[in-house]
C-alpha cells in the first residue's frame, strides 16, 4: 500500500511542477495573417520565445516556466510593442487592435502590467513632445534644448515619485529605470549622481526581495559602477589647468578613429566651418544636446558646416551603439577624461565646444559665443537655410 501512496504522490508532484507556468493570452483584432511574436527582453538582448500567425479572431496564447524573480517579455507585431512583466505563475490577459496595439490596449490579471502600460503611454507622449519641439522652427536651438531639458526633468521627477520610489521592489519600478528617449536612457546610471541614487534604491530593494536574482545583481553592479564614475568625473572637473595651456588661436590637430573604424583628422576639414565638440553620451543632458546639434547640422551641412565630435565615454560598445545613426563625424578618445587633448584645449567641464573657421583656424570657444547659430551663419557667409 505504501508503494502505491508514494507513486500517487509522485504523480501529483509531477502535475504540480507542470502547472508552474505563466500564461499570456488574449486577442489582437484586425490583424489577420500578421505574425505576433512573444519575445524575452533579457539582459543579453531580445530573444523570440514563441510566435503565432493570427486568424480573423486574433486569439493568441503563450506560456512559459514560472519565475522566482520578475522577468520581462513583449508582444510584437512589426514595430508595435506591448511590454509584459511576469512575476510568478500568473495569467495575464491582453486585448488590443491592430495597428494601434502599442498605444491602445487593455490588460487584466496584473497590477504591475497596468503600471507598465501607464509608463509606456507616458513615454510615448514624451517622445511626441520632444519631436514637436525639434520641429518647431519658431524657437532657436537653445530654446528647444532648454525646453526639452525641462520636459525630461519633469518626466523623471514624476516617474521617480509616483512609480520608482513608491514600490522599488516591483517590476514596474525596474521597467521605469530603463525607459528611453530615442537611444538614450532617461535615467543615467553612469555619471548622474541623482539618477545613480534611483538605481541604487531599486537595487537595494531587489537584493532584499529577490536575493541572488540575475537582474538584481546586475542592478547592484550598475549602481556601484555609477558611483565610481561619478566620483572620477567630479574630481576631473574640479581640477584647474595651468593658464599657459589655454589656446585661443590656431588649431591643435586631432586624429582619432571614428565609429566606423576610419581614422578622422580634424585638419582634413579645411574649407568647412567645423564645430569641434567634446562630449560624454552617458551624461544627463546628452539627448537634448544631440537633438540641438542635429538641428544645426540639418540646417547648415549643405552650406559647408561639419561637426567633429570627440566622445570621452569609457564604454566603447555603448558609444558605438549610441552614435550609429548620427550623420556627422564621431570619434572617441580612449583616454577619456584623462585625455591630453582636453588639457591642450583647456577643457575643464564637459560638454564643451569650439568653432573652427574655413581656414582651419580656431575661431571661438563656447563661453565666447552668445548665439552659436548666428556665429555659424556668420562664418558660412549668412546662408539662407
Amino acid at each position: 500500500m505504501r508503494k502505491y501512496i508514494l507513486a500517487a504522490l509522485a504523480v501529483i508532484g509531477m502535475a504540480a511542477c507542470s502547472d508552474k507556468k505563466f500564461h499570456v493570452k488574449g486577442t489582437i483584432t484586425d490583424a489577420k495573417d500578421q505574425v505576433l511574436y512573444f519575445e524575452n527582453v533579457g539582459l543579453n538582448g531580445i530573444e523570440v520565445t514563441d510566435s503565432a500567425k493570427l486568424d480573423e479572431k486574433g486569439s493568441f496564447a503563450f506560456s512559459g516556466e514560472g519565475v522566482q524573480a520578475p522577468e520581462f517579455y513583449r508582444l510584437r507585431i512589426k514595430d508595435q510593442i506591448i511590454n509584459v512583466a511576469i512575476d510568478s505563475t500568473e495569467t495575464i490577459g491582453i486585448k488590443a487592435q491592430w495597428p494601434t496595439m502599442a498605444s491602445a490596449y487593455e490588460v487584466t490579471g496584473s497590477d504591475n502590467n497596468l503600471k507598465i502600460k501607464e509608463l509606456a503611454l507616458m513615454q510615448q507622449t514624451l517622445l511626441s513632445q520632444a519631436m514637436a519641439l525639434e520641429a518647431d522652427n519658431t524657437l532657436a536651438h537653445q530654446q528647444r534644448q532648454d525646453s526639452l531639458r525641462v520636459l525630461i526633468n519633469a518626466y523623471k521627477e514624476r516617474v521617480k515619485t509616483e512609480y520608482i520610489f513608491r514600490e522599488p521592489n516591483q517590476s514596474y519600478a525596474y521597467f521605469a529605470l530603463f525607459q528611453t528617449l530615442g537611444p538614450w536612457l532617461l535615467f543615467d546610471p553612469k555619471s548622474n549622481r541623482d539618477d545613480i541614487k534611483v538605481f541604487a534604491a531599486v537595487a537595494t530593494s531587489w537584493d532584499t526581495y529577490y536575493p541572488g536574482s540575475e537582474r538584481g545583481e546586475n542592478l547592484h553592479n550598475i549602481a556601484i559602477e555609477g558611483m565610481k564614475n561619478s566620483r572620477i568625473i567630479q574630481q576631473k572637473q574640479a581640477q584647474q589647468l595651468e593658464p599657459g595651456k589655454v589656446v585661443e588661436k590656431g588649431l591643435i590637430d586631432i586624429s582619432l578613429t571614428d565609429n566606423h573604424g576610419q581614422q578622422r583628422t580634424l585638419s582634413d576639414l579645411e574649407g568647412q566651418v567645423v564645430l569641434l565638440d567634446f562630449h560624454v553620451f552617458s551624461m544627463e543632458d546628452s539627448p537634448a544636446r544631440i537633438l540641438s546639434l542635429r538641428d544645426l547640422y540639418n540646417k547648415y551641412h549643405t552650406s559647408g558646416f561639419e561637426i567633429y565630435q570627440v566622445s570621452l565615454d569609457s564604454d566603447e560598445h555603448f558609444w558605438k551603439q549610441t552614435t550609429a545613426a548620427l550623420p556627422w563625424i564621431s570619434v572617441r578618445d580612449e583616454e577619456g577624461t584623462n585625455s591630453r587633448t582636453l588639457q591642450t584645449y583647456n577643457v575643464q567641464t564637459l560638454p564643451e565646444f569650439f568653432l573652427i573657421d574655413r581656414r582651419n583656424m580656431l575661431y571661438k570657444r563656447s563661453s565666447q559665443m552668445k548665439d552659436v547659430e548666428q556665429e555659424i551663419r556668420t562664418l558660412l557667409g549668412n546662408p539662407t537655410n
Side-chain angles (χ1 to χ4, degrees), residues 229-246:
N229 290 342
S230 180
R231 286 194 296 269
I232 292 172
I233 290 173
Q234 189 176 10
Q235 290 168 1
K236 294 299 179 184
Q237 290 180 342
Q239 290 178 351
Q240 297 296 318
L241 299 177
E242 298 174 14
K245 292 182 178 178
V246 177

Side-chain angles (χ1 to χ4, degrees), residues 89-155:
T89 57
E90 60 200 338
T91 296
I92 299 169
I94 301 288
K95 290 185 179 180
Q97 184 178 24
W98 174 258
T100 58
M101 59 181 272
S103 58
Y105 66 93
E106 298 178 16
V107 58
T108 57
S110 169
D111 290 339
N112 259 301
N113 282 291
L114 285 171
K115 294 290 188 182
I116 286 176
K117 176 187 175 182
E118 292 173 10
L119 286 163
L121 295 181
M122 288 166 54
Q123 182 184 16
Q124 291 171 26
T125 299
L126 177 65
L127 179 59
S128 297
Q129 292 171 329
M131 292 175 65
L133 272 176
E134 186 178 6
D136 188 350
N137 293 323
T138 66
L139 298 175
H141 81 280
Q142 188 61 48
Q143 291 176 304
R144 284 194 289 272
Q145 183 177 0
D146 293 342
S147 298
L148 182 60
R149 185 180 296 110
V150 170
L151 274 178
I152 292 174
N153 288 340
Y155 182 91

Side-chain angles (χ1 to χ4, degrees), residues 100-298:
T100 58
M101 59 181 272
S103 58
Y105 66 93
E106 298 178 16
V107 58
T108 57
S110 169
D111 290 339
N112 259 301
N113 282 291
L114 285 171
K115 294 290 188 182
I116 286 176
K117 176 187 175 182
E118 292 173 10
L119 286 163
L121 295 181
M122 288 166 54
Q123 182 184 16
Q124 291 171 26
T125 299
L126 177 65
L127 179 59
S128 297
Q129 292 171 329
M131 292 175 65
L133 272 176
E134 186 178 6
D136 188 350
N137 293 323
T138 66
L139 298 175
H141 81 280
Q142 188 61 48
Q143 291 176 304
R144 284 194 289 272
Q145 183 177 0
D146 293 342
S147 298
L148 182 60
R149 185 180 296 110
V150 170
L151 274 178
I152 292 174
N153 288 340
Y155 182 91
K156 289 169 62 176
E157 190 61 34
R158 179 184 176 188
V159 169
K160 282 192 294 187
T161 304
E162 299 181 14
Y163 294 89
I164 297 176
F165 289 150
R166 181 166 293 179
E167 292 183 295
N169 63 304
Q170 297 297 321
S171 54
Y172 70 81
Y174 182 102
F175 177 84
L177 287 180
F178 295 96
Q179 286 194 295
T180 61
L181 181 62
W184 298 282
L185 284 173
L186 289 168
F187 291 96
D188 168 23
K190 288 182 175 290
S191 57
N192 183 292
R193 284 179 291 176
D194 290 335
D195 291 353
I196 292 166
K197 291 176 183 177
V198 179
F199 270 80
V202 179
T204 300
S205 185
W206 278 52
D207 283 345
T208 302
Y209 284 88
Y210 314 110
S213 70
E214 188 177 10
R215 288 186 183 274
E217 291 181 357
N218 185 58
L219 276 180
H220 189 86
N221 292 336
I222 289 173
I224 294 298
E225 185 66 22
M227 292 175 189
K228 185 190 303 180
N229 290 342
S230 180
R231 286 194 296 269
I232 292 172
I233 290 173
Q234 189 176 10
Q235 290 168 1
K236 294 299 179 184
Q237 290 180 342
Q239 290 178 351
Q240 297 296 318
L241 299 177
E242 298 174 14
K245 292 182 178 178
V246 177
V247 179
E248 297 293 347
K249 294 182 180 180
L251 176 70
I252 306 97
D253 209 3
I254 302 173
S255 186
L256 293 167
T257 304
D258 70 10
N259 50 356
H260 302 294
Q262 297 182 344
Q263 196 75 11
R264 305 303 296 266
T265 302
L266 184 60
S267 59
D268 288 345
L269 301 177
E270 185 173 359
Q272 300 180 71
V273 173
V274 179
L275 189 148
L276 169 61
D277 186 60
F278 294 97
H279 190 78
V280 177
F281 285 91
S282 59
M283 295 183 74
E284 178 182 15
D285 293 338
S286 179
R289 196 155 179 280
I290 293 301
L291 286 174
S292 175
L293 291 177
R294 186 180 285 272
D295 178 57
L296 289 173
Y297 187 89
N298 290 344

